[in-house]
Amino acid sequence: DSIQRPHARAFKTALAAGELAKINTKKTKSGEATVHMHTRSARTLFNHALQDDVILYNPFDKLAGKTPPLKAWHIVTDDEFNKLMDMATPPWRLLLGLCRYAALRRGEALALRWNQIDWERLRLQIIANDEWRPKDREPRTVPIVPELHTLLLGAFEQAETGQTTVIPKGIIIIKSISKDFRVLCSKAGVQPWSKPLHTLRKTCQTVWARQYPEHVVAAWAGHSDTQTTREYYLQVSEVEYNRAAGLPESKNQNLGQNLGQTPQNQGNSNEEN
């Protein structure tokens, strides 16, 4: 609480000038994006203190700078996803399905237990257990859509006695996910994209946003506010453009196609923030 706005401003100035030797041994000036990144991190830290009534105001609240522009990311089409699911092993089908149909994070999908599934009300709960905690530490409930229900029911019927997690432990190696995903894409004849599971999570939220209010999507995704959902997870797709223009909507069109892209370079827009 002794840190005030002049101190916060001095921190940002010193960072830009390369004067913070302990974290910048070369003493080179930091770029604008780097300065904004560290200042936003400081703002986040002080926001926690503000919420806990440790301080009366956030000294960094006016210094964080603008959020960097978002990079285009690939919205996964139904055609691509179905090809992957056809070639995937049962554990990978579950992992892909939980990310695409329930917007689960990788850790949430791998830690999901059968007792977190409400078969009657078709919902699943993301809650901490004795081995794992969710990213935001807050429990949340996610609807089970028909496609995911079919997938989960089939896995439940095939589950071994005593198996507690939906995806059997040790089957999917976290460090090998990117490599294994590229192998799967090769078998399925699909162009791989970066951050495969996170991209499926973002695709799910974009699909949700076409049907449900923003605050509902944020709650299902586990975001503390709708701004996070809006700025980082949603993207205007060809579905919206075609709908507005009165054009037919193709189920298998590239939902992530951006304005200005040609058929030749559509496959290169695979990055995300």
Side-chain angles (χ1 to χ4, degrees), residues 189-244:
V190 172
Q191 180 70 29
W193 58 83
S194 62
K195 298 183 179 181
L197 303 181
H198 193 58
T199 298
L200 287 172
R201 168 173 157 82
K202 294 171 76 169
T203 297
C204 178
Q205 293 176 56
T206 297
V207 173
W208 279 345
R210 299 187 192 124
Q211 307 176 58
Y212 306 103
E214 200 170 78
H215 72 281
V216 173
V217 176
W220 289 349
H223 294 152
S224 58
D225 58 67
T226 59
Q227 183 176 351
T228 299
T229 309
R230 181 170 57 254
E231 291 186 1
Y232 296 100
Y233 287 82
L234 304 184
Q235 186 179 138
V236 179
S237 72
E238 285 294 284
V239 170
E240 284 76 26
Y241 285 112
N242 288 345
R243 183 182 300 163

CSV table of all heavy atoms in Angstrom, one decimal, residues 189-244:
chain,number,residue,atom,x,y,z
A,189,GLY,N,-5.3,-36.2,-43.0
A,189,GLY,CA,-5.3,-35.4,-44.2
A,189,GLY,C,-5.7,-33.9,-43.9
A,189,GLY,O,-6.4,-33.3,-44.7
A,190,VAL,N,-5.4,-33.5,-42.7
A,190,VAL,CA,-5.8,-32.1,-42.2
A,190,VAL,C,-4.6,-31.3,-42.0
A,190,VAL,O,-3.6,-31.8,-41.4
A,190,VAL,CB,-6.6,-32.2,-40.9
A,190,VAL,CG1,-6.9,-30.8,-40.3
A,190,VAL,CG2,-8.0,-32.9,-41.2
A,191,GLN,N,-4.6,-30.0,-42.4
A,191,GLN,CA,-3.5,-29.1,-42.2
A,191,GLN,C,-3.4,-28.8,-40.7
A,191,GLN,O,-4.4,-28.3,-40.1
A,191,GLN,CB,-3.7,-27.8,-43.0
A,191,GLN,CG,-2.6,-26.8,-42.8
A,191,GLN,CD,-1.3,-27.2,-43.4
A,191,GLN,OE1,-1.3,-28.0,-44.4
A,191,GLN,NE2,-0.2,-26.7,-42.9
A,192,PRO,N,-2.3,-29.1,-40.0
A,192,PRO,CA,-2.3,-28.8,-38.5
A,192,PRO,C,-2.3,-27.3,-38.2
A,192,PRO,O,-1.9,-26.5,-39.1
A,192,PRO,CB,-0.9,-29.5,-38.1
A,192,PRO,CG,-0.1,-29.5,-39.4
A,192,PRO,CD,-1.1,-29.7,-40.5
A,193,TRP,N,-2.7,-27.0,-37.1
A,193,TRP,CA,-2.7,-25.6,-36.6
A,193,TRP,C,-2.0,-25.5,-35.3
A,193,TRP,O,-1.8,-26.5,-34.6
A,193,TRP,CB,-4.1,-25.1,-36.5
A,193,TRP,CG,-5.0,-25.9,-35.6
A,193,TRP,CD1,-5.1,-25.8,-34.2
A,193,TRP,CD2,-5.9,-26.9,-35.9
A,193,TRP,NE1,-6.0,-26.6,-33.7
A,193,TRP,CE2,-6.5,-27.4,-34.7
A,193,TRP,CE3,-6.3,-27.5,-37.1
A,193,TRP,CZ2,-7.5,-28.4,-34.7
A,193,TRP,CZ3,-7.2,-28.5,-37.1
A,193,TRP,CH2,-7.8,-28.9,-35.9
A,194,SER,N,-1.6,-24.3,-34.9
A,194,SER,CA,-0.8,-24.2,-33.6
A,194,SER,C,-1.8,-24.3,-32.4
A,194,SER,O,-2.9,-24.0,-32.6
A,194,SER,CB,-0.1,-22.8,-33.6
A,194,SER,OG,-1.0,-21.8,-33.7
A,195,LYS,N,-1.2,-24.6,-31.3
A,195,LYS,CA,-2.0,-24.8,-30.0
A,195,LYS,C,-3.3,-25.5,-30.3
A,195,LYS,O,-4.4,-25.0,-30.1
A,195,LYS,CB,-2.2,-23.4,-29.4
A,195,LYS,CG,-1.0,-22.6,-29.1
A,195,LYS,CD,-1.3,-21.3,-28.4
A,195,LYS,CE,0.0,-20.6,-28.0
A,195,LYS,NZ,-0.3,-19.3,-27.4
A,196,PRO,N,-3.2,-26.8,-30.6
A,196,PRO,CA,-4.4,-27.5,-31.1
A,196,PRO,C,-5.5,-27.5,-30.1
A,196,PRO,O,-6.7,-27.3,-30.5
A,196,PRO,CB,-3.8,-28.9,-31.4
A,196,PRO,CG,-2.5,-29.0,-30.6
A,196,PRO,CD,-2.0,-27.6,-30.6
A,197,LEU,N,-5.3,-27.8,-28.9
A,197,LEU,CA,-6.4,-28.0,-27.9
A,197,LEU,C,-7.0,-26.6,-27.6
A,197,LEU,O,-8.2,-26.5,-27.4
A,197,LEU,CB,-5.9,-28.7,-26.7
A,197,LEU,CG,-5.3,-30.1,-26.9
A,197,LEU,CD1,-4.9,-30.8,-25.6
A,197,LEU,CD2,-6.3,-31.0,-27.7
A,198,HIS,N,-6.1,-25.6,-27.4
A,198,HIS,CA,-6.6,-24.3,-27.0
A,198,HIS,C,-7.4,-23.7,-28.2
A,198,HIS,O,-8.4,-23.0,-28.0
A,198,HIS,CB,-5.4,-23.4,-26.7
A,198,HIS,CG,-5.9,-22.1,-26.0
A,198,HIS,ND1,-6.6,-22.1,-24.9
A,198,HIS,CD2,-5.7,-20.8,-26.4
A,198,HIS,CE1,-6.8,-20.8,-24.5
A,198,HIS,NE2,-6.3,-20.0,-25.4
A,199,THR,N,-7.0,-24.0,-29.4
A,199,THR,CA,-7.8,-23.6,-30.6
A,199,THR,C,-9.2,-24.2,-30.6
A,199,THR,O,-10.1,-23.6,-31.0
A,199,THR,CB,-7.0,-23.9,-31.9
A,199,THR,OG1,-5.7,-23.2,-31.9
A,199,THR,CG2,-7.8,-23.5,-33.1
A,200,LEU,N,-9.2,-25.5,-30.3
A,200,LEU,CA,-10.6,-26.1,-30.2
A,200,LEU,C,-11.4,-25.5,-29.1
A,200,LEU,O,-12.6,-25.3,-29.3
A,200,LEU,CB,-10.4,-27.6,-29.9
A,200,LEU,CG,-9.8,-28.5,-31.1
A,200,LEU,CD1,-9.5,-29.9,-30.6
A,200,LEU,CD2,-10.8,-28.5,-32.2
A,201,ARG,N,-10.8,-25.1,-28.0
A,201,ARG,CA,-11.6,-24.5,-26.9
A,201,ARG,C,-12.1,-23.1,-27.4
A,201,ARG,O,-13.3,-22.8,-27.2
A,201,ARG,CB,-10.6,-24.3,-25.8
A,201,ARG,CG,-11.1,-23.3,-24.7
A,201,ARG,CD,-10.1,-23.4,-23.5
A,201,ARG,NE,-10.2,-22.2,-22.7
A,201,ARG,CZ,-11.1,-21.9,-21.7
A,201,ARG,NH1,-12.0,-22.8,-21.5
A,201,ARG,NH2,-11.1,-20.8,-21.0
A,202,LYS,N,-11.3,-22.4,-28.2
A,202,LYS,CA,-11.7,-21.1,-28.7
A,202,LYS,C,-12.8,-21.2,-29.8
A,202,LYS,O,-13.7,-20.4,-29.8
A,202,LYS,CB,-10.5,-20.3,-29.2
A,202,LYS,CG,-9.5,-19.9,-28.1
A,202,LYS,CD,-8.2,-19.4,-28.7
A,202,LYS,CE,-8.4,-18.0,-29.2
A,202,LYS,NZ,-7.1,-17.3,-29.5
A,203,THR,N,-12.7,-22.3,-30.6
A,203,THR,CA,-13.7,-22.6,-31.6
A,203,THR,C,-15.0,-22.8,-30.9
A,203,THR,O,-16.1,-22.4,-31.4
A,203,THR,CB,-13.2,-23.8,-32.5
A,203,THR,OG1,-12.0,-23.4,-33.1
A,203,THR,CG2,-14.3,-24.1,-33.5
A,204,CYS,N,-15.0,-23.6,-29.9
A,204,CYS,CA,-16.2,-23.9,-29.1
A,204,CYS,C,-16.9,-22.7,-28.6
A,204,CYS,O,-18.1,-22.5,-28.8
A,204,CYS,CB,-15.9,-24.9,-28.0
A,204,CYS,SG,-17.4,-25.3,-27.0
A,205,GLN,N,-16.1,-21.8,-28.1
A,205,GLN,CA,-16.7,-20.5,-27.5
A,205,GLN,C,-17.3,-19.7,-28.6
A,205,GLN,O,-18.3,-19.0,-28.4
A,205,GLN,CB,-15.6,-19.8,-26.7
A,205,GLN,CG,-15.2,-20.5,-25.5
A,205,GLN,CD,-14.1,-19.8,-24.7
A,205,GLN,OE1,-14.2,-18.7,-24.4
A,205,GLN,NE2,-13.0,-20.5,-24.5
A,206,THR,N,-16.6,-19.6,-29.8
A,206,THR,CA,-17.1,-18.9,-30.9
A,206,THR,C,-18.5,-19.4,-31.4
A,206,THR,O,-19.4,-18.7,-31.7
A,206,THR,CB,-16.1,-18.9,-32.1
A,206,THR,OG1,-14.9,-18.2,-31.6
A,206,THR,CG2,-16.7,-18.2,-33.3
A,207,VAL,N,-18.6,-20.7,-31.4
A,207,VAL,CA,-19.9,-21.4,-31.8
A,207,VAL,C,-20.9,-21.1,-30.7
A,207,VAL,O,-22.1,-20.8,-31.1
A,207,VAL,CB,-19.7,-22.9,-31.9
A,207,VAL,CG1,-21.0,-23.6,-32.2
A,207,VAL,CG2,-18.7,-23.2,-33.1
A,208,TRP,N,-20.6,-21.2,-29.4
A,208,TRP,CA,-21.5,-20.8,-28.4
A,208,TRP,C,-22.0,-19.4,-28.5
A,208,TRP,O,-23.2,-19.1,-28.3
A,208,TRP,CB,-20.9,-21.0,-27.0
A,208,TRP,CG,-20.8,-22.4,-26.5
A,208,TRP,CD1,-21.5,-23.5,-26.9
A,208,TRP,CD2,-20.0,-22.8,-25.4
A,208,TRP,NE1,-21.1,-24.6,-26.2
A,208,TRP,CE2,-20.2,-24.2,-25.3
A,208,TRP,CE3,-19.0,-22.2,-24.6
A,208,TRP,CZ2,-19.6,-25.0,-24.3
A,208,TRP,CZ3,-18.4,-23.0,-23.6
A,208,TRP,CH2,-18.7,-24.3,-23.5
A,209,ALA,N,-21.1,-18.5,-28.9
A,209,ALA,CA,-21.5,-17.1,-28.9
A,209,ALA,C,-22.5,-16.7,-30.0
A,209,ALA,O,-23.2,-15.7,-29.9
A,209,ALA,CB,-20.2,-16.2,-29.2
A,210,ARG,N,-22.7,-17.6,-30.9
A,210,ARG,CA,-23.7,-17.4,-32.0
A,210,ARG,C,-25.1,-17.7,-31.4
A,210,ARG,O,-26.1,-17.3,-32.0
A,210,ARG,CB,-23.5,-18.4,-33.2
A,210,ARG,CG,-22.2,-18.1,-33.9
A,210,ARG,CD,-22.1,-18.9,-35.1
A,210,ARG,NE,-20.7,-18.9,-35.6
A,210,ARG,CZ,-20.0,-20.0,-35.9
A,210,ARG,NH1,-20.5,-21.2,-35.7
A,210,ARG,NH2,-18.8,-19.9,-36.3
A,211,GLN,N,-25.2,-18.4,-30.3
A,211,GLN,CA,-26.5,-18.8,-29.8
A,211,GLN,C,-26.8,-18.3,-28.4
A,211,GLN,O,-28.0,-18.1,-28.0
A,211,GLN,CB,-26.6,-20.4,-29.7
A,211,GLN,CG,-26.2,-21.1,-31.0
A,211,GLN,CD,-26.2,-22.6,-30.7
A,211,GLN,OE1,-27.2,-23.2,-30.3
A,211,GLN,NE2,-25.1,-23.2,-31.0
A,212,TYR,N,-25.8,-17.9,-27.6
A,212,TYR,CA,-26.0,-17.6,-26.2
A,212,TYR,C,-25.4,-16.2,-25.9
A,212,TYR,O,-24.4,-15.8,-26.5
A,212,TYR,CB,-25.4,-18.7,-25.3
A,212,TYR,CG,-25.9,-20.1,-25.6
A,212,TYR,CD1,-25.1,-21.0,-26.3
A,212,TYR,CD2,-27.2,-20.5,-25.3
A,212,TYR,CE1,-25.6,-22.2,-26.6
A,212,TYR,CE2,-27.7,-21.7,-25.6
A,212,TYR,CZ,-26.9,-22.6,-26.2
A,212,TYR,OH,-27.3,-23.9,-26.6
A,213,PRO,N,-25.9,-15.6,-24.8
A,213,PRO,CA,-25.4,-14.3,-24.4
A,213,PRO,C,-23.9,-14.4,-24.0
A,213,PRO,O,-23.4,-15.4,-23.6
A,213,PRO,CB,-26.3,-13.8,-23.3
A,213,PRO,CG,-27.5,-14.6,-23.4
A,213,PRO,CD,-27.1,-15.9,-24.1
A,214,GLU,N,-23.2,-13.3,-24.1
A,214,GLU,CA,-21.8,-13.2,-23.8
A,214,GLU,C,-21.5,-13.7,-22.3
A,214,GLU,O,-20.5,-14.4,-22.1
A,214,GLU,CB,-21.3,-11.8,-24.0
A,214,GLU,CG,-19.8,-11.7,-24.1
A,214,GLU,CD,-19.4,-10.3,-24.6
A,214,GLU,OE1,-19.3,-9.4,-23.7
A,214,GLU,OE2,-19.1,-10.1,-25.8
A,215,HIS,N,-22.3,-13.3,-21.4
A,215,HIS,CA,-22.1,-13.7,-20.0
A,215,HIS,C,-22.2,-15.2,-19.8
A,215,HIS,O,-21.6,-15.8,-18.9
A,215,HIS,CB,-23.0,-12.9,-19.0
A,215,HIS,CG,-24.4,-13.3,-19.1
A,215,HIS,ND1,-25.3,-12.9,-20.1
A,215,HIS,CD2,-25.1,-14.1,-18.2
A,215,HIS,CE1,-26.5,-13.5,-19.8
A,215,HIS,NE2,-26.4,-14.2,-18.7
A,216,VAL,N,-23.1,-15.8,-20.6
A,216,VAL,CA,-23.2,-17.3,-20.5
A,216,VAL,C,-22.0,-18.0,-21.0
A,216,VAL,O,-21.5,-18.9,-20.4
A,216,VAL,CB,-24.5,-17.7,-21.3
A,216,VAL,CG1,-24.6,-19.2,-21.3
A,216,VAL,CG2,-25.8,-17.1,-20.7
A,217,VAL,N,-21.5,-17.5,-22.2
A,217,VAL,CA,-20.3,-18.1,-22.7
A,217,VAL,C,-19.1,-17.9,-21.8
A,217,VAL,O,-18.3,-18.9,-21.6
A,217,VAL,CB,-20.0,-17.4,-24.1
A,217,VAL,CG1,-18.7,-18.0,-24.6
A,217,VAL,CG2,-21.1,-17.6,-25.1
A,218,ALA,N,-19.0,-16.8,-21.2
A,218,ALA,CA,-17.9,-16.5,-20.2
A,218,ALA,C,-18.0,-17.5,-19.0
A,218,ALA,O,-17.0,-18.0,-18.5
A,218,ALA,CB,-17.9,-15.1,-19.7
A,219,ALA,N,-19.2,-17.7,-18.5
A,219,ALA,CA,-19.4,-18.6,-17.4
A,219,ALA,C,-19.0,-20.0,-17.7
A,219,ALA,O,-18.4,-20.7,-17.0
A,219,ALA,CB,-20.8,-18.5,-16.9
A,220,TRP,N,-19.5,-20.5,-18.9
A,220,TRP,CA,-19.2,-21.8,-19.3
A,220,TRP,C,-17.7,-22.0,-19.5
A,220,TRP,O,-17.2,-23.1,-19.3
A,220,TRP,CB,-20.0,-22.2,-20.5
A,220,TRP,CG,-21.5,-22.3,-20.3
A,220,TRP,CD1,-22.1,-22.4,-19.1
A,220,TRP,CD2,-22.5,-22.4,-21.3
A,220,TRP,NE1,-23.5,-22.5,-19.2
A,220,TRP,CE2,-23.7,-22.6,-20.6
A,220,TRP,CE3,-22.5,-22.4,-22.7
A,220,TRP,CZ2,-25.0,-22.7,-21.2
A,220,TRP,CZ3,-23.7,-22.5,-23.3
A,220,TRP,CH2,-24.9,-22.7,-22.6
A,221,ALA,N,-17.1,-21.0,-20.0
A,221,ALA,CA,-15.6,-21.1,-20.4
A,221,ALA,C,-14.7,-20.9,-19.2
A,221,ALA,O,-13.5,-21.3,-19.2
A,221,ALA,CB,-15.3,-20.0,-21.4
A,222,GLY,N,-15.3,-20.4,-18.1
A,222,GLY,CA,-14.5,-20.2,-16.9
A,222,GLY,C,-13.7,-18.9,-16.9
A,222,GLY,O,-12.7,-18.8,-16.3
A,223,HIS,N,-14.3,-17.9,-17.5
A,223,HIS,CA,-13.7,-16.5,-17.5
A,223,HIS,C,-14.3,-15.7,-16.4
A,223,HIS,O,-15.5,-15.7,-16.2
A,223,HIS,CB,-13.9,-15.9,-18.8
A,223,HIS,CG,-13.1,-16.5,-19.9
A,223,HIS,ND1,-13.5,-16.5,-21.3
A,223,HIS,CD2,-12.0,-17.3,-19.9
A,223,HIS,CE1,-12.7,-17.2,-22.0
A,223,HIS,NE2,-11.8,-17.7,-21.2
A,224,SER,N,-13.5,-14.9,-15.7
A,224,SER,CA,-14.0,-14.1,-14.6
A,224,SER,C,-14.8,-12.9,-15.1
A,224,SER,O,-15.7,-12.3,-14.4
A,224,SER,CB,-12.9,-13.6,-13.7
A,224,SER,OG,-12.0,-12.9,-14.5
A,225,ASP,N,-14.6,-12.5,-16.4
A,225,ASP,CA,-15.4,-11.4,-16.9
A,225,ASP,C,-15.6,-11.6,-18.4
A,225,ASP,O,-14.8,-12.4,-19.1
A,225,ASP,CB,-14.7,-10.0,-16.7
A,225,ASP,CG,-13.3,-10.0,-17.3
A,225,ASP,OD1,-13.2,-10.0,-18.5
A,225,ASP,OD2,-12.3,-9.9,-16.5
A,226,THR,N,-16.5,-10.9,-19.0
A,226,THR,CA,-16.8,-11.1,-20.4
A,226,THR,C,-15.8,-10.5,-21.3
A,226,THR,O,-15.7,-10.8,-22.5
A,226,THR,CB,-18.2,-10.5,-20.8
A,226,THR,OG1,-18.2,-9.1,-20.4
A,226,THR,CG2,-19.3,-11.2,-20.0
A,227,GLN,N,-15.0,-9.5,-20.8
A,227,GLN,CA,-14.0,-8.9,-21.6
A,227,GLN,C,-13.0,-9.9,-22.1
A,227,GLN,O,-12.5,-9.8,-23.3
A,227,GLN,CB,-13.3,-7.8,-20.9
A,227,GLN,CG,-12.3,-7.0,-21.7
A,227,GLN,CD,-11.7,-5.8,-21.0
A,227,GLN,OE1,-12.1,-5.5,-19.9
A,227,GLN,NE2,-10.7,-5.2,-21.5
A,228,THR,N,-12.6,-10.8,-21.3
A,228,THR,CA,-11.6,-11.8,-21.7
A,228,THR,C,-12.2,-12.7,-22.8
A,228,THR,O,-11.5,-12.9,-23.8
A,228,THR,CB,-11.3,-12.7,-20.5
A,228,THR,OG1,-10.7,-12.0,-19.4
A,228,THR,CG2,-10.3,-13.8,-20.9
A,229,THR,N,-13.4,-13.1,-22.7
A,229,THR,CA,-14.1,-13.9,-23.7
A,229,THR,C,-14.1,-13.1,-25.0
A,229,THR,O,-13.8,-13.6,-26.1
A,229,THR,CB,-15.5,-14.2,-23.3
A,229,THR,OG1,-15.5,-14.8,-22.0
A,229,THR,CG2,-16.1,-15.2,-24.3
A,230,ARG,N,-14.5,-11.8,-24.9
A,230,ARG,CA,-14.7,-11.0,-26.1
A,230,ARG,C,-13.4,-10.7,-26.9
A,230,ARG,O,-13.3,-10.8,-28.1
A,230,ARG,CB,-15.4,-9.7,-25.7
A,230,ARG,CG,-15.7,-8.8,-26.9
A,230,ARG,CD,-16.6,-7.6,-26.5
A,230,ARG,NE,-16.0,-6.9,-25.4
A,230,ARG,CZ,-16.4,-6.9,-24.1
A,230,ARG,NH1,-17.4,-7.7,-23.8
A,230,ARG,NH2,-15.9,-6.2,-23.2
A,231,GLU,N,-12.3,-10.4,-26.1
A,231,GLU,CA,-11.1,-9.9,-26.7
A,231,GLU,C,-10.2,-11.1,-27.2
A,231,GLU,O,-9.5,-10.9,-28.2
A,231,GLU,CB,-10.3,-9.1,-25.7
A,231,GLU,CG,-10.9,-7.7,-25.4
A,231,GLU,CD,-10.1,-6.9,-24.5
A,231,GLU,OE1,-8.9,-7.3,-24.2
A,231,GLU,OE2,-10.5,-5.8,-24.2
A,232,TYR,N,-10.2,-12.2,-26.5
A,232,TYR,CA,-9.3,-13.3,-26.9
A,232,TYR,C,-9.9,-14.5,-27.4
A,232,TYR,O,-9.1,-15.4,-28.0
A,232,TYR,CB,-8.5,-13.6,-25.6
A,232,TYR,CG,-7.6,-12.5,-25.1
A,232,TYR,CD1,-8.1,-11.7,-24.0
A,232,TYR,CD2,-6.4,-12.1,-25.7
A,232,TYR,CE1,-7.3,-10.6,-23.5
A,232,TYR,CE2,-5.7,-11.1,-25.2
A,232,TYR,CZ,-6.1,-10.3,-24.1
A,232,TYR,OH,-5.4,-9.3,-23.7
A,233,TYR,N,-11.2,-14.8,-27.3
A,233,TYR,CA,-11.7,-16.1,-27.6
A,233,TYR,C,-12.8,-16.1,-28.7
A,233,TYR,O,-13.1,-17.2,-29.2
A,233,TYR,CB,-12.3,-16.7,-26.4
A,233,TYR,CG,-11.2,-17.2,-25.4
A,233,TYR,CD1,-10.6,-16.3,-24.5
A,233,TYR,CD2,-10.8,-18.5,-25.4
A,233,TYR,CE1,-9.6,-16.8,-23.7
A,233,TYR,CE2,-9.8,-19.0,-24.6
A,233,TYR,CZ,-9.2,-18.1,-23.7
A,233,TYR,OH,-8.2,-18.5,-22.8
A,234,LEU,N,-13.3,-14.9,-29.1
A,234,LEU,CA,-14.3,-14.9,-30.1
A,234,LEU,C,-13.8,-14.3,-31.4
A,234,LEU,O,-12.9,-13.4,-31.4
A,234,LEU,CB,-15.5,-14.1,-29.6
A,234,LEU,CG,-16.1,-14.6,-28.3
A,234,LEU,CD1,-17.4,-13.7,-28.0
A,234,LEU,CD2,-16.4,-16.0,-28.3
A,235,GLN,N,-14.3,-14.8,-32.5
A,235,GLN,CA,-13.9,-14.3,-33.8
A,235,GLN,C,-15.1,-14.3,-34.8
A,235,GLN,O,-15.9,-15.2,-34.7
A,235,GLN,CB,-12.8,-15.2,-34.4
A,235,GLN,CG,-12.2,-14.7,-35.7
A,235,GLN,CD,-11.1,-15.6,-36.2
A,235,GLN,OE1,-11.0,-15.8,-37.3
A,235,GLN,NE2,-10.2,-16.0,-35.3
A,236,VAL,N,-15.2,-13.3,-35.6
A,236,VAL,CA,-16.3,-13.2,-36.6
A,236,VAL,C,-15.9,-14.2,-37.7
A,236,VAL,O,-14.8,-14.2,-38.2
A,236,VAL,CB,-16.4,-11.8,-37.1
A,236,VAL,CG1,-17.5,-11.8,-38.2
A,236,VAL,CG2,-16.8,-10.8,-36.0
A,237,SER,N,-16.8,-15.0,-38.0
A,237,SER,CA,-16.5,-16.1,-39.0
A,237,SER,C,-17.4,-15.9,-40.3
A,237,SER,O,-18.2,-15.0,-40.4
A,237,SER,CB,-16.8,-17.5,-38.4
A,237,SER,OG,-18.2,-17.6,-38.3
A,238,GLU,N,-17.1,-16.8,-41.3
A,238,GLU,CA,-17.9,-16.7,-42.5
A,238,GLU,C,-19.3,-17.0,-42.3
A,238,GLU,O,-20.2,-16.5,-43.1
A,238,GLU,CB,-17.3,-17.8,-43.5
A,238,GLU,CG,-16.0,-17.5,-44.1
A,238,GLU,CD,-16.1,-16.3,-45.0
A,238,GLU,OE1,-16.6,-16.5,-46.1
A,238,GLU,OE2,-15.7,-15.2,-44.6
A,239,VAL,N,-19.7,-17.7,-41.2
A,239,VAL,CA,-21.1,-17.9,-41.0
A,239,VAL,C,-21.9,-16.6,-40.8
A,239,VAL,O,-23.0,-16.4,-41.4
A,239,VAL,CB,-21.3,-18.8,-39.7
A,239,VAL,CG1,-22.7,-18.9,-39.3
A,239,VAL,CG2,-20.8,-20.2,-39.9
A,240,GLU,N,-21.3,-15.7,-40.0
A,240,GLU,CA,-22.0,-14.4,-39.8
A,240,GLU,C,-22.1,-13.6,-41.1
A,240,GLU,O,-23.1,-13.0,-41.4
A,240,GLU,CB,-21.3,-13.6,-38.7
A,240,GLU,CG,-21.5,-14.1,-37.3
A,240,GLU,CD,-20.8,-15.4,-36.9
A,240,GLU,OE1,-19.7,-15.7,-37.5
A,240,GLU,OE2,-21.3,-16.1,-36.1
A,241,TYR,N,-21.0,-13.6,-41.8
A,241,TYR,CA,-21.0,-12.8,-43.1
A,241,TYR,C,-22.0,-13.4,-44.1
A,241,TYR,O,-22.7,-12.6,-44.7
A,241,TYR,CB,-19.6,-12.8,-43.7
A,241,TYR,CG,-18.6,-12.0,-43.0
A,241,TYR,CD1,-17.5,-12.5,-42.3
A,241,TYR,CD2,-18.7,-10.6,-43.0
A,241,TYR,CE1,-16.6,-11.7,-41.7
A,241,TYR,CE2,-17.8,-9.8,-42.4
A,241,TYR,CZ,-16.7,-10.3,-41.7
A,241,TYR,OH,-15.8,-9.6,-41.0
A,242,ASN,N,-22.0,-14.7,-44.2
A,242,ASN,CA,-23.0,-15.3,-45.2
A,242,ASN,C,-24.4,-15.1,-44.7
A,242,ASN,O,-25.3,-14.8,-45.5
A,242,ASN,CB,-22.7,-16.8,-45.3
A,242,ASN,CG,-21.4,-17.0,-46.1
A,242,ASN,OD1,-20.9,-16.1,-46.8
A,242,ASN,ND2,-20.9,-18.2,-46.1
A,243,ARG,N,-24.6,-15.2,-43.4
A,243,ARG,CA,-26.0,-15.0,-42.9
A,243,ARG,C,-26.5,-13.6,-43.1
A,243,ARG,O,-27.6,-13.4,-43.5
A,243,ARG,CB,-26.0,-15.3,-41.4
A,243,ARG,CG,-27.4,-15.2,-40.8
A,243,ARG,CD,-27.3,-15.5,-39.3
A,243,ARG,NE,-26.7,-16.8,-39.0
A,243,ARG,CZ,-26.2,-17.2,-37.9
A,243,ARG,NH1,-26.2,-16.4,-36.8
A,243,ARG,NH2,-25.8,-18.5,-37.7
A,244,ALA,N,-25.6,-12.6,-42.9
A,244,ALA,CA,-26.0,-11.2,-43.1
A,244,ALA,C,-26.2,-10.9,-44.6
A,244,ALA,O,-27.1,-10.1,-45.0
A,244,ALA,CB,-24.9,-10.3,-42.6
